[in-house]
Structures are given as C-alpha cells and as structure tokens.
Amino acid sequence: MERESIEYDVVIVGGGPAGLASACKLKQINPNLSVCLLEKGSEIGSHILSGAVFEPKTLFDLFPEDAKDCPTLKTPVAKDDLFWLTGENKSIKVPSLLMPKSLHNKGNYIISLGELCQWISEKAMELGVDIFPGFPAQSYLKDESGRVIGISTGDMGIDKEGNQKGTYTPGMDILAKQTIFAEGARGHLGKQLIKEFNLDEGRTPQHFAIGFKEIWEVENDKHSPGDVVHTMGWPLNEGTTGGGFLYHFDNKRIAVGLIVDLNYTNPSHNPFQEFQQFKKHPKIKQFLDAGKRVSYGARAITKGGINSLVKMDFNGGMIIGCDAGTLNPSKIKGSHCALQSGILAAEYVSKILTEENCDFDDLFKASTLYKELYKSRNFSAAMHKFGFYLGAAYNFIESNIFRNTLPITIKDEQKDCDSLNLNNPLYTKEYPTPDNVLSFDITSSLFLSGTNHEEDQPVHLKLTDPSIPLTRNKELFDEPAQRYCPAGVYEIIDKEGEDYFQINAQNCLHCKTCDIKDPSQNINWTPPEGGGGPNYVGM
Amino acid sequence: MSALILIELNGSEVSANSRAAITAASQLSDSVDALVLTNDASNSSSVAALSGINTVKMIVDDSLENSSVEVASKLIADVMGDYKYLISGSSTFSKNILPRVGALLDVQPISDVCEIKSNNTFVRPLYAGNVMATVETSDETIVMTVRSTAFEHSGDDGSASVESLSASMSESNSSFVSLQESESERPELTTADRIVSGGRGLGSKENFALIEQLADKLDAAVGASRAAVDAGFISNDYQVGQTGKVVAPKLYLAVGISGAIQHLAGMKDSQVIVVINNDPDAPMSRMADLVWQVDLFDALNELNAYQV
Amino acid sequence: MKIIIPVKRVLDPYTQARVNKQTQQVDLTNAKMAMNPFCEIAVEEALTIKESGSASETIAVSIGTDKTVDTLRTALAMGVDRAIFIKTDSELDLQPLHVAKILANIIKREEAELVIMGKQAVDNDNNQTGQMLSGLIDYSLGTFISKFDLSADGTSVEVCREIDSGIETRQLGLPAIVTVDLRLNEPRYASLPNIMKARSKPMETIELSSLGIDTSPRIKIVSVEESGTKDRASKQISSAEELFSELNQMGVL
Ligand SMILES: Cc1cc2nc3c(=O)[nH]c(=O)nc-3n(C[C@H](O)[C@H](O)[C@H](O)COP(=O)(O)OP(=O)(O)OC[C@H]3O[C@@H](n4cnc5c(N)ncnc54)[C@H](O)[C@@H]3O)c2cc1C
Ligand SMILES: Cc1cc2nc3c(=O)[nH]c(=O)nc-3n(C[C@H](O)[C@H](O)[C@H](O)COP(=O)(O)OP(=O)(O)OC[C@H]3O[C@@H](n4cnc5c(N)ncnc54)[C@H](O)[C@@H]3O)c2cc1C
Ligand code: SF4
C-alpha cells in the first residue's frame, strides 16, 4: 500500500483552543484558504482537560455574533474564595482584599473546555475547515532547505513487534504552505521543533505542573453554581508547590482538582496520592460528601510564562498555545491565551501567505496577550526560587501593590527533570490506602477516564536507553515514574525472580508528565495509533 | 392467557434454558404448553416429563432435523393462535428463530428477560449487562427469550399429555450442510459453567499451567487478567474484562487477580465468585462469596492434589 | 449483485454507559459514539465480496438523527460505494421491528439480493433485526456467521454459523440476509485519504416520514438502572477441602 499525500494551504496540529482558534480565524480572514486540522483524540475534546474558569473576552473577539449563544458559557463565576490549607483539618480564608489580583474571577465563566472546543470545532467546520479527529501528526516533514512543509500521520495496524497486521494502513503526508503546531503542553513535535530551530534560545527553561481533575455529581444542597474555591498549602508541603481548585458548574457537577508543580524535589512524592488526600480536607470534602465521582483525568500544564515562552515562528510554520508556553502562570489560565495565540498566528500566517511582509515579533509585542504575559512574568519563577511562602508574598506584593510594574525579572534556570533529590528512606512519603469514598486507586480512576488503546501495537512510550529505569533511575530515585505517572503506566515488577520494568502503555492518559519529569530524560512520549488515549467527556 | 414454550432439544434431552423458560412462563400463566419441532416422535417423552407443562404439541417431520429457520418460524407462527406468550430460553437456537416469528406475527420480541415484573413488564440487560432496563410491552402477543441463569430450572416430575399437530412444511431456500460439534476438551470461555482465572500473581507462563491443571480438574474453562496476558502467561483470547470477554459462569475462581474494575466488568455477574489471594485488601475480595487468603501456589498445589 | 449493509451508530463499546436518573435513559449527551462493531464486520465482509468481483455495488443504510451521517461517512470511508440516510426526529425510539420494516422498504426499492448486517447492536443487545427483516421480506437467513462463501454461479452462499453446540454450515439461496459474528473478519480502518475521498461519495437522504411506516413504539422503557458492582458478603475459607465442600453445597461443581 502506498503512502498518499495531499496539499493544503495550512495544516494545524491539535484541536485545542489554540489550534481551533487559528483555524477559524484563518477562514474568517480568507475563506479561500484550504485549512485542515488534525486531532489525535478520537473526537474533538476527548483529550482536553482543563479547570476551567474561562475568560470569555477572546471568544467574543473571535465570534462577535455567535459567542453569546455558546452553550458552554452558562455558569458565570458567582463567588470567589481562596483558602490557605494549613493542615489536614485546618485552613485560613484569605480575605478578598489580600487575594492576588490575578485570582479574581469576576466576569469569568466556569466551563468544560472540552465542550467549548467541540463548539468551536462546529464553527470551524461551518467555516469550511477540514477536521480529522483520530489522526495524530506523527512527524513533521521538511524540504531540502530545512523548511517545514507539513506533517505525516502515523501508520495503523502495526503489531507489538512492529510487524504489519492484516489491517495495516499506511499513514499519509499532508503538505502545507504553513504548518501550525498547537499540541498543548509538551507537544511531542513541538519539543523536536524547539530543539531543531533553537526556538528556546535565550529563554529560561520551560516549567510544568501536572494538573489532576475529577468531576463529581453532588447533592443538590451542596451545589451552588458559579462558586469558585482555590486553595494553597496542604497536602503539598515544603519542596512542592501548587494549588487546589473546586468549581461548581452546571447539572449538579463539581470540578475538583490539584495542580502540582513538577519541580518537586522528593522522589517519593506521589502527585496522584496527594490529589486523593486533598479531597479529604474539610473545605473540599464538605461539597463532595454523598456525591459520586464520574470522571478522572490528568494533564501537564506549561507554566513558565513569558520568560520561557519560545519563539513562535520558524521557517514554514508556527508553534502556539501551551505547545509554545502562552499560559498565564499567575492565574493558571491558558485557554484564553491559547485562543489569542491562535488568532495572532492566523493573522500572521494569512499575511505571509499573501506574501505581505510581516514580522511576527512586532505583531506579538503589540498584542494584549503579550501585555498580559509580561505583567505576570515573575510569578512562577518567584514561587520556584523563593519557595511557597516567600514566593507567594512576593507575588502578592508585586501584583497588588506595584500592579506588576516592578522593573525586575526573576528567572528560574533549573529544569523540572533536574529538581529531584536523591532517594532517601528518611523522607519517604507514605500514603493511606484509598477509602473508596473520597480517595480511590489508580485503576478505578482510569476507568472513569475512558482511556483505551488498541492493545496490539508498539509501545508508544519509548525509552532511549531501556536499561536506565532499573539502573540509574532505580538506584538514585527509586524510579519515580512509578509515582508521577497518573495512570500507573510504569511499574517495577518481579518477573521470575528479577526486577522488570513494565510499561502499561494502554493506560496512558497522554498527560506528558513522564516526558517532562524523567530525571534521565530517557522517556519519549510518541503518539500511539490514532484514536487511542482518554475519552474525556465534559472535562 | 396461556403460554407456549418453544423447546430446544440437545439430541433427545431438553436443554437447561428451556427448563428456565418453563419457570418464567409459570410466573405469567397457569397454563403452559410446550412446542417441539423434531424429526423424532419419541422425543415427546422427555418433554412430557417436564414439570409444569400441560400439553406437549409435537410437530414431527423428517425435514425438521436441522430444519431451516424459515420453515420453523412459519410453523411456530401458525401454531400461536390464541397463545398470549411465546417463550424460549436464550440461546443461539431461540435467538435465531423467535425474532423471525415476531416479524411474522407483527410483534416486537423481548430478548434476554432476567426478571418478570408483571404480565407485560420485564427486566432485561442492555449495554452488555451494564444497564438493566425495565420494559413494558403493548403487544397483544408477547414473544420473549429468558436468561437461563435468571430462572430456576424446572424438573422432571410432570406428566403432560402429548398432542401431535399436522402441519404442512413450507418450501425453504436454504439447506443444512453439516454440523461440526465443538470438541469439548475444555469448555469455551464465554459459555462455560465454571472458569478458573489466573492473574499476574502466577508469576510465569510455567506457573500458569497450574491454573490449566485445576481447570481440567473442575471441567472448567481457563481465563486470565490482562496483566497475565500482557506478561505473556497466556494468549489474549483468554482475557476476561472490559476489553476482553464478558462472562457469567456459575463459578468463577480468581487466582492471583487483584480485581481491578476493568477485570470486574467482565465477570461481576458470575454466580459464585471465589478468590485466592494473599492480600486481604485486594478489591477482588469484596466481590467474593468465598475468600481464601493464602499463597496461591500453596492453594493451587493443594487443590490440584485434592481427591474429589 | 447489490449488497446492502445496514449500520448503526451506538455508544462507543469501550465507553461506560451511564444512566441519567432524571430522564431514566442512558445518557448520550456528548458521549463518544461509534459504528456498532458488528456492523463494521458486516461492512468489511461486503467490501471483501465486492473486491473479489462478485458484487456490483455496496450500499450502507442507517436510520437516525443528523449525527448518524458520521457513521455512514465512516462506512463510505471504509470503502462502501454509496449511502442512504433515513432521517428521523430526535425523540424517536425505534425498535427492531420498525427498523426491519424500514430496511425492508429500502431493500425492495434497491432490489438488493444480499443484506449483510451485525448480529446485534451493542447498545440494546436485541439480536433481532436481521431475523425480523428476513421474516418480513422472506429472504433466506443465516445468523451469527463466521464464514461466508459465495457459490461460483453466484446464486447461493455457504455460511458457517456459530451456534451453541458448535459450527453449523448451511447453504442459503439468494436473495439472503446474513448477520455476522465477531470471528468473521477483522474490519479495516477508515484511512485518512479514504475519509477525505468519502466526502464526495453519494449520500441520499430520505425522510422517515415519507416512507409511511408506523413507528409507534411497541415497547416502552419504564426505567433503567446501572447494574454496577455490588459487594458480596464473603466467607473466609482455609483449605481445599473446605472449598470443595462449600462449592458442592452451592451446587456449582
Ligand atoms: C488541571 C488544569 C486546570 C486548568 N485550569 C484552567 C483554567 O481554569 N482556566 C484556563 O484558562 N486554563 C486552565 N488550564 C490551562 C488550559 O487548559 C490550557 O492552557 C489550554 O488547554 C491550552 O490550549 P492549547 O490549545 O494550547 O492546548 P490543549 O488544550 O492541550 O490542546 C492540544 C490538543 O492537541 C492535540 N494534540 C497534541 N498533539 C497532537 C498531535 N501530534 N497530533 C494531533 N493532535 C495532537 C491534543 O490531543 C489536544 O486536543 C488548566 C489546565 C489544567 C491541566
Ligand atoms: C482501558 C483498560 C482496559 C483494561 N481491560 C482489562 C480487561 O479486560 N481485563 C483485565 O483483567 N484487566 C484489564 N485492564 C487492566 C486492569 O486495570 C488491571 O491492571 C489488571 O486487571 C490487573 O491484573 P492482575 O489482577 O492480574 O494483576 P495485579 O493487579 O498485579 O494483581 C495481582 C494480584 O495477585 C496477588 N498475588 C501476587 N502473588 C501472590 C501469591 N503468591 N499468592 C496469592 N496472591 C498473590 C496480589 O495480591 C494481587 O492482588 C484494563 C486496563 C485499562 C486501562
Ligand atoms: S505514561 Fe506518561 S504521558 Fe502517559 S499518563 Fe503516564 S506520565 Fe502521562
């Protein structure tokens, strides 16, 4: 069977807010452009996971007429609380006056980002964008001059050993004048592009967090649509930063989640377990009691802010959204930024396609996105550098007193993969067994993510050196993949009396944490056969 | 309001699912008749001996050995007359014929009834048993198949009268070629009465042979968890669970299986669940009727050596 | 020979069915949907027959709301020549008898000699439609097939049927309906180039109301319930002897 190829004006990789916004904007600017968008999830939204408190302004910029009818914008934020959890049962309410300005949510909506993406994708199809869910871009294509000229999709029907099965179907080359990469946090092509085109030159290393989220259906009397709760502190302690959230949205649903920064230091730290514990805090538990957990998932968050934001244009294409690092770390909000970056990319690309002279940097620097990101430039670096308390104090002072006008830039040069201390039995963390009421084990959680992969296919988590997990990583860090992976993909098991590093690739949630946190940078996430991965609904 | 049971024969024996159908019918009607389509008139005796049957209606014709569904469904539709109910036990036999009878009678049949709520309201599984639906039919005549595990099997202390019906055989455009009966070395996983299933606790392919040995002893099928399949202890046709086979045997013996929800999804409807595991907290134990907390190798050796 | 392949859009079989307590229905809002896996096998078989040169045309038919078009597009992308979409109002609860009547209408209109369909849809698990259809139009019927061979003269097929007691081989004169079982074949993927090409393949839309078929429900779903996993009261045992004696008492040996 031959590999076929097809040509478009623009091909977009990734159907998140960034990719979808650029697709729509391109067609709005020039309906004659042929635009195609690939999404690795089996449907648009099935791999999207977000909080989400959403700043709607950009959506109205993109769809001035239709945005008001968007069915996902139905729960405006009504109340906004921040708690500092000082212990298992203790908390202090942070007075509104003292809350960092960036955490105020008036005018925002609580939404499911997956549902929003579905809605935008319908708009995109109406505008004539060809959307193909279930097809990951496997690699990008270049011409002799080194210019990116499109992507190719993966082959289907290859067995575990790499042989062609009866159902073998070759992938396809999609050539384009411009290729836009919008894969979200730690895109696997984005990672290669950044390296190949030196897009991170002069930037501080990117920083990431892992965000967990569950949806609960709760009792009527525990549900007040529009209420937003943010927490800091417990169960995360010194050496680990992050924060919790709990949002009441529609249909008696509550989104509860914990964000754990991936520069944590203790290798025995288990972010999944921290999240399970988090729900037991009285400030959280009070809402979930007697409720039913209906969904689970996890996803990495790019949170280095503008200091780490890579150069977004390169020869033949663009990298946008969380793939590039456009999230505003002071708010942990990236959806509106992703939309904006998509719009900017579309404006730029449509110009250069008509051979107008245009410099992306000028366009970007003039944008509201740039202004927003510039203001919050010190937020995560301060947290990382000064630790939680001082960092938080710094951020508070900078944002509320100096209104982000201080002419200082704080930088954090350590990569997340380099932050682990050596394994030390003295500091080993133990976690209680799940109570199956508020806290659960990984397998029952995974069940609710709907994740699944064709079983007979090559393992999509590739080890550069297969010996490292059982040698360096085990000796120095007790192989932390066993704990940071939110899907229990990595296990060291006993196989006929010897340690064996088992990769349960079918469980993978495509969160990308392993690719980020592996202390040996030995794990490479690659896309599995199309359609595999979580099947999030309403996340 | 009488009921007619379509009897399924295995050779001259009445199938277990037909016996379940009689029990179901007796909950709906005081007068239950049986219909037998056969090439052998002597088959009437085993049917007449079934408890709970009034009259056995026999249609005997040479062509009814391996008869075609086209012919059989027409015969049944013609016999239905005043019967309110046509009931058969769920099997490939009844599922082949009954819907076609339904179409001839302009009736919407009901498959796999698990519970009878009233004379027109029934409970049946949807979505591979993950959802149970209570359905109410408005058809005058009710055609249904019933799950043989959901109803008692009627016994053999009856003495029904036998009536032979004369019927004209319609032409059929299809013909029987051959039947290759499954050689029952070990029963097939999805239809087995007993399953011995092994998990990652077995540790190796060699050790997994202990599971096979026990299965043979119990005349049971072999099953496995995905972790056991992934580890190469056994091929993936044996996987039980969400992405494997869904089974509901009388006995499910889970050895060295932790009981992940994906595994439970495939076997939770088993009648009796036995767990052999050394971890008292294994989720599997909560699902079990019998738990043996022990090293599985000790248990398997003891079981395999035990003289029944 | 024309082949008709009825296909159904169902909840993705690997997705957990969830009950909406308020509506007393399985909640399909935003749920992942897919072509019924048995229908995929039916499509594959039809394509193989066409590729062998024995069929003139393959036609996929589906009944449902607008979204059903996705499923027909999948069939087209797999390789089916054209599609017929029978459009219904969203609220309609179609039962196998209705579906069979609708399909009967289309099959007569198309004068198709062979119908290949799934043995059951994995949502309602009825396992009825093919059988009922054969009753309505008096085609010969082969259910649960795991092997399909067209005779050299093209007037009959030999099928292997997976039945409880083993494998039955039957000869079916055409016209015929077969319902397919899992082991018949492994369906191909809808490849990206073929998905693109499928967009320009013909799809005819017929309003269900224009067919004049009575679709008033015969069966009403009163309520639904997730069966879930229930904990059992477990008894501890400690020897093989005890185990065997318990099992004997329970009558499962
Ligand atoms: C727990 C959590 C809470 C959050 N809370 C908020 C919040 O409250 N407010 C807010 O504004 N933001 C929030 N965010 C951040 C926000 O979700 C992201 O900033 C936003 O989703 C980024 O959009 P994106 O389009 O860049 O990438 P994504 O939304 O990640 O979308 C990328 C898409 O590309 C697809 N893809 C990736 N690689 C490929 C490939 N090779 N081929 C084909 N498809 C591919 C993916 O499947 C995915 O659908 C939160 C994030 C998390 C994880
Ligand atoms: C999308 C998806 C689909 C899946 N589908 C399936 C499926 O269809 N079927 C399935 O089974 N799984 C499935 N799984 C995998 C499932 O989540 C579990 O990983 C798997 O079932 C675990 O198998 P196990 O119980 O054999 O292994 P483990 O969980 O490792 O359990 C081994 C058990 O053996 C016990 N044990 C170990 N040694 C001994 C000893 N010497 N004596 C006594 N006991 C001992 C241990 O206490 C433990 O309870 C799926 C997962 C996903 C994500
Ligand atoms: S394997 Fe990697 S990408 Fe997949 S869930 Fe685990 S950490 Fe995330």
Side-chain angles (χ1 to χ4, degrees):
Chain A
M1 266 183 267
E2 293 261 313
R3 258 190 112 76
E4 294 188 46
S5 82
I6 190 173
E7 235 183 288
Y8 278 89
D9 288 322
V10 183
V11 56
I12 299 166
V13 178
L20 289 165
S22 67
C24 292
K25 191 70 190 180
L26 278 165
K27 284 298 235 180
Q28 288 172 347
I29 297 172
N30 181 356
N32 295 324
L33 288 177
S34 59
V35 179
C36 138
L37 183 149
L38 298 180
E39 165 56 48
K40 68 179 159 65
S42 60
E43 284 177 8
I44 295 290
S46 62
H47 287 185
I48 298 285
L49 181 150
S50 193
V53 173
F54 177 66
E55 292 187 13
K57 181 175 173 302
T58 318
L59 192 69
F60 281 90
D61 291 346
L62 188 57
F63 304 110
E65 309 273 285
D66 295 348
K68 62 176 189 312
D69 303 324
C70 174
T72 21
L73 295 188
K74 59 190 156 200
T75 317
V77 173
K79 190 164 155 242
D80 212 349
D81 286 329
L82 175 64
F83 293 96
W84 179 14
L85 309 184
T86 50
E88 208 177 323
N89 293 309
K90 291 178 290 194
S91 63
I92 299 172
K93 183 169 172 188
V94 180
S96 175
L97 194 67
L98 288 182
M99 253 163 88
K101 261 185 63 138
S102 57
L103 284 180
H104 287 280
N105 279 308
K106 208 165 161 241
N108 295 340
Y109 287 83
I110 304 177
I111 64 161
S112 149
L113 187 60
E115 285 171 9
L116 179 66
C117 286
Q118 275 176 347
W119 184 80
I120 305 179
S121 77
E122 281 162 26
K123 295 284 143 206
M125 285 189 282
E126 286 167 19
L127 287 162
V129 179
D130 286 349
I131 297 188
F132 300 110
F135 292 95
Q138 171 93 33
S139 53
Y140 53 87
L141 304 165
K142 286 183 300 178
D143 64 11
E144 298 90 51
S145 73
R147 178 186 163 82
V148 171
I149 53 165
I151 56 93
S152 60
T153 65
D155 295 347
M156 315 263 266
I158 308 261
D159 74 9
K160 271 194 182 115
E161 274 77 42
N163 307 312
Q164 297 184 359
K165 295 188 277 189
T167 53
Y168 172 73
T169 312
M172 182 184 198
D173 293 342
I174 305 183
L175 305 174
K177 300 193 180 94
Q178 285 284 317
T179 309
I180 300 179
F181 295 85
E183 305 163 286
R186 192 69 158 199
H188 88 287
L189 297 179
K191 178 175 141 183
Q192 294 167 39
L193 287 162
I194 292 169
K195 194 157 171 231
E196 178 160 355
F197 290 91
N198 277 321
L199 301 176
D200 58 353
E201 202 180 337
R203 285 18 181 212
T204 52
Q206 187 56 273
H207 286 286
F208 298 90
I210 177 170
F212 292 88
K213 176 178 171 181
E214 290 176 355
I215 298 176
W216 285 64
E217 269 172 19
V218 300
E219 301 285 295
N220 245 341
D221 59 342
K222 306 216 156 111
H223 191 246
S224 31
D227 281 9
V228 163
V229 178
H230 284 118
T231 72
M232 37 188 206
W234 192 87
L236 305 177
N237 50 19
E238 218 31 61
T240 316
T241 49
F245 63 86
L246 185 143
Y247 306 147
H248 298 249
F249 63 129
D250 56 359
N251 293 336
K252 291 198 275 177
R253 290 182 297 174
I254 282 185
V256 56
L258 185 72
I259 291 166
V260 181
D261 291 348
L262 284 178
N263 67 336
Y264 67 80
T265 52
N266 185 339
S268 72
H269 182 72
N270 185 323
F272 171 82
Q273 294 289 359
E274 300 283 336
F275 173 44
Q276 297 305 318
Q277 299 316 306
F278 167 67
K279 289 177 287 173
K280 297 184 188 164
H281 194 282
K283 279 282 169 254
I284 301 300
K285 180 177 178 295
Q286 58 176 335
F287 300 110
L288 304 182
D289 267 339
K292 182 175 172 198
R293 186 174 73 141
V294 297
S295 215
Y296 163 83
R299 178 78 171 100
I301 299 173
T302 321
K303 55 180 284 287
I306 199 158
N307 299 332
S308 312
L309 175 65
V310 301
K311 178 169 150 46
M312 290 161 73
D313 60 315
F314 52 85
N315 193 2
M318 302 272 312
I319 175 169
I320 61 173
C322 279
D323 213 356
T326 55
L327 176 135
N328 179 344
S330 69
K331 307 173 173 171
I332 303 290
K333 286 197 188 76
S335 317
H336 65 292
C337 308
L339 288 170
Q340 284 183 54
S341 72
I343 294 172
L344 286 173
E347 287 170 349
Y348 172 70
V349 162
S350 67
K351 281 205 175 112
I352 55 171
L353 283 178
T354 51
E355 282 154 47
E356 266 180 66
N357 245 339
C358 175
D359 183 65
F360 182 73
D361 255 11
D362 296 343
L363 201 70
F364 179 54
K365 290 249 162 77
S367 69
T368 47
L369 174 60
Y370 178 80
K371 288 184 194 105
E372 176 178 344
L373 293 180
Y374 183 77
K375 272 193 191 168
S376 67
R377 68 193 176 286
N378 290 334
F379 188 88
S380 20
M383 284 290 209
H384 282 185
K385 264 213 131 97
F386 306 147
F388 175 71
Y389 300 112
L390 277 177
Y394 173 86
N395 283 324
F396 173 76
I397 294 168
E398 178 172 356
S399 93
N400 289 32
I401 299 180
F402 292 96
R403 313 256 153 198
N404 299 310
T405 53
L406 282 183
I408 328 173
T409 299
I410 303 172
K411 293 190 172 167
D412 177 13
E413 299 288 350
Q414 190 186 47
K415 289 188 181 164
D416 292 343
C417 58
D418 295 332
S419 66
L420 287 182
N421 297 332
L422 297 187
N423 183 35
N424 183 340
L426 276 181
Y427 299 112
T428 302
K429 289 196 178 177
E430 301 278 351
Y431 298 94
T433 46
D435 59 21
N436 290 315
V437 180
L438 288 165
S439 60
F440 302 89
D441 65 4
I442 282 199
T443 52
S444 58
S445 304
L446 271 187
F447 188 63
L448 298 179
S449 72
T451 197
N452 199 10
H453 292 84
E454 160 62 42
E455 302 193 8
D456 191 13
Q457 65 170 309
V459 170
H460 69 276
L461 300 143
K462 311 242 187 258
L463 304 180
T464 314
D465 175 352
S467 73
I468 282 182
L470 292 178
T471 53
R472 177 176 193 262
N473 280 3
K474 180 155 185 285
E475 283 152 23
L476 302 184
F477 312 107
D478 188 24
E479 184 47 286
Q482 300 177 90
R483 293 170 297 278
Y484 61 62
C485 171
V489 167
Y490 305 99
E491 293 175 285
I492 295 182
I493 57 170
D494 175 276
K495 203 169 181 181
E496 280 144 61
E498 280 180 37
D499 279 350
Y500 178 80
F501 188 62
Q502 164 95 17
I503 304 182
N504 301 308
Q506 304 98 321
N507 295 15
C508 179
L509 289 172
H510 297 200
C511 77
K512 315 284 180 79
T513 303
C514 50
D515 196 292
I516 298 164
K517 187 65 179 169
D518 178 22
S520 306
Q521 285 298 284
N522 183 46
I523 303 177
N524 285 295
W525 188 95
T526 65
E529 195 167 272
N535 283 295
Y536 296 141
V537 176
M539 295 283 262
Chain B
M1 295 259 264
S2 49
L4 185 65
I5 310 288
L6 174 64
I7 297 287
E8 176 177 0
L9 294 170
N10 296 327
S12 59
E13 303 242 310
V14 175
S15 72
N17 62 61
S18 297
R19 294 173 184 272
I22 296 170
T23 309
S26 65
Q27 294 178 22
L28 290 163
S29 164
D30 297 334
S31 155
V32 179
D33 291 349
L35 174 65
V36 184
L37 309 181
T38 178
N39 61 327
D40 181 354
S42 69
N43 282 333
S44 63
S45 55
S46 58
V47 183
L50 290 169
S51 330
I53 300 285
N54 268 348
T55 310
V56 181
K57 309 221 162 178
M58 299 289 293
I59 301 183
V60 184
D61 191 287
D62 281 347
S63 69
L64 289 176
E65 183 182 15
N66 302 309
S67 80
S68 77
V69 54
E70 296 87 346
V71 172
S73 50
K74 177 138 196 329
L75 290 173
I76 300 165
D78 289 345
V79 174
M80 273 308 285
D82 290 337
Y83 285 107
K84 166 92 179 159
Y85 298 100
L86 172 63
I87 305 176
S88 195
S90 292
S91 67
T92 52
F93 167 81
S94 62
K95 285 190 173 168
N96 187 35
I97 301 178
L98 252 53
R100 204 173 192 279
V101 178
L104 298 179
L105 299 173
D106 195 33
V107 161
Q108 172 57 58
I110 303 168
S111 299
D112 294 317
V113 168
C114 294
E115 192 188 329
I116 294 171
K117 291 254 178 177
S118 78
N119 60 5
N120 67 349
T121 309
F122 310 96
V123 178
R124 65 172 299 262
L126 310 177
Y127 293 91
N130 286 310
V131 172
M132 299 304 282
T134 304
V135 300
E136 186 187 297
T137 170
S138 52
D139 278 325
E140 283 301 312
T141 306
I142 298 175
V143 175
M144 64 194 213
T145 58
V146 304
R147 279 265 167 107
S148 85
T149 44
F151 296 91
E152 299 266 304
H153 294 180
S154 145
D156 289 299
D157 54 9
S159 54
S161 58
V162 176
E163 184 184 321
S164 104
L165 305 180
S166 63
S168 61
M169 298 295 134
S170 53
E171 284 291 306
S172 165
N173 203 7
S174 85
S175 57
F176 173 78
V177 178
S178 64
L179 174 65
Q180 184 195 339
E181 287 190 56
S182 35
E183 294 149 40
S184 60
E185 281 178 3
R186 209 176 267 149
E188 211 266 315
L189 187 54
T190 48
T191 51
D193 276 345
R194 286 173 290 279
I195 296 173
V196 181
S197 214
R200 184 145 79 186
L202 268 299
S204 73
K205 192 174 174 153
E206 290 70 43
N207 294 340
F208 207 84
L210 295 169
I211 294 287
E212 290 164 19
Q213 200 184 333
L214 181 60
D216 289 341
K217 182 178 184 126
L218 298 177
D219 191 19
V222 169
S225 72
R226 191 170 87 182
V229 170
D230 283 353
F233 302 167
I234 190 162
S235 79
N236 65 352
D237 319 353
Y238 294 90
Q239 181 173 318
V240 171
Q242 185 196 352
T243 45
K245 304 245 159 57
V246 177
V247 300
K250 286 189 187 147
L251 170 63
Y252 191 88
L253 211 134
V255 186
I257 297 180
S258 61
I261 184 156
Q262 293 86 355
H263 189 79
L264 301 183
M267 43 64 66
K268 62 179 192 306
D269 293 328
S270 306
Q271 227 177 74
V272 173
I273 297 174
V274 180
V275 168
I276 297 180
N277 199 309
N278 57 10
D279 173 8
D281 292 330
M284 195 80 208
S285 307
R286 295 207 304 267
M287 290 285 300
D289 300 282
L290 299 172
V291 178
W292 188 358
Q293 191 197 324
V294 60
D295 185 276
L296 66 89
F297 297 106
D298 294 343
L300 285 175
N301 289 331
E302 195 179 324
L303 286 166
N304 282 326
Y306 186 79
Q307 302 289 330
V308 189
Chain C
M1 179 176 70
K2 266 191 203 176
I3 306 179
I4 284 200
I5 316 108
V7 294
K8 185 173 187 188
R9 181 172 181 266
V10 298
L11 181 71
D12 182 274
Y14 294 116
T15 307
Q16 175 74 352
R18 298 206 52 241
V19 166
N20 180 327
K21 292 215 180 76
Q22 268 139 25
T23 59
Q24 278 300 319
Q25 273 171 356
V26 173
D27 196 352
L28 297 179
T29 27
N30 294 319
K32 183 182 172 195
M33 306 295 280
M35 187 191 292
N36 177 35
F38 290 100
C39 299
E40 287 183 339
I41 295 170
V43 170
E44 175 65 39
E45 198 61 21
L47 296 176
T48 318
I49 298 167
K50 169 97 193 287
E51 282 157 3
S52 75
S54 312
S56 56
E57 198 182 21
T58 52
I59 309 161
V61 184
S62 194
I63 310 162
T65 55
D66 285 330
K67 290 273 187 194
T68 309
V69 168
D70 294 351
T71 305
L72 285 170
R73 290 259 174 250
T74 307
L76 291 170
M78 286 174 77
V80 165
D81 298 317
R82 66 181 163 99
I84 301 175
F85 167 43
I86 321 266
K87 195 168 176 263
T88 68
D89 301 338
S90 54
E91 300 306 321
L92 217 51
D93 171 27
L94 287 178
Q95 289 150 15
L97 182 62
H98 309 130
V99 174
K101 286 179 178 174
I102 297 165
L103 292 175
N105 182 304
I106 301 298
I107 288 158
K108 280 193 200 137
R109 199 191 72 167
E110 294 286 341
E111 296 176 348
E113 281 184 278
L114 181 61
V115 181
I116 307 183
M117 54 200 292
K119 74 163 182 180
Q120 75 192 75
V122 297
D123 49 1
N124 292 329
D125 287 338
N126 279 310
N127 193 334
Q128 294 172 340
T129 309
Q131 294 88 313
M132 299 185 83
L133 181 57
S134 101
L136 294 178
I137 57 177
D138 206 21
Y139 277 28
S140 45
L141 171 66
T143 45
F144 328 135
I145 68 160
S146 59
K147 201 157 175 291
F148 180 100
D149 283 312
L150 197 66
S151 66
D153 64 359
T155 60
S156 70
V157 292
E158 194 170 279
V159 295
C160 291
R161 304 181 53 231
E162 292 205 352
I163 59 175
D164 293 339
S165 54
I167 293 178
E168 184 192 45
T169 307
R170 291 194 82 89
Q171 178 112 28
L172 311 177
L174 292 179
I177 295 171
V178 294
T179 75
V180 305
D181 216 322
L182 280 182
R183 268 174 282 264
L184 180 62
N185 61 43
E186 199 180 338
R188 67 194 67 188
Y189 294 99
S191 73
L192 190 48
N194 290 338
I195 290 176
M196 293 175 175
K197 286 171 207 152
R199 300 183 167 202
S200 51
K201 285 189 180 176
M203 172 152 0
E204 179 190 359
T205 303
I206 300 175
E207 291 286 340
L208 174 58
S209 50
S210 75
L211 296 178
I213 291 166
D214 173 16
T215 53
S216 47
R218 303 298 188 86
I219 289 179
K220 191 175 96 196
I221 295 197
V222 184
S223 64
V224 288
E225 191 185 352
E226 281 170 44
S227 58
T229 48
K230 289 186 197 81
D231 287 4
R232 303 183 181 194
S234 35
K235 178 170 173 184
Q236 297 286 334
I237 51 165
S238 57
S239 72
E241 183 171 1
E242 211 179 330
L243 178 59
F244 276 103
S245 93
E246 288 284 346
L247 294 181
N248 268 324
Q249 272 176 34
M250 292 169 173
V252 293
L253 279 186

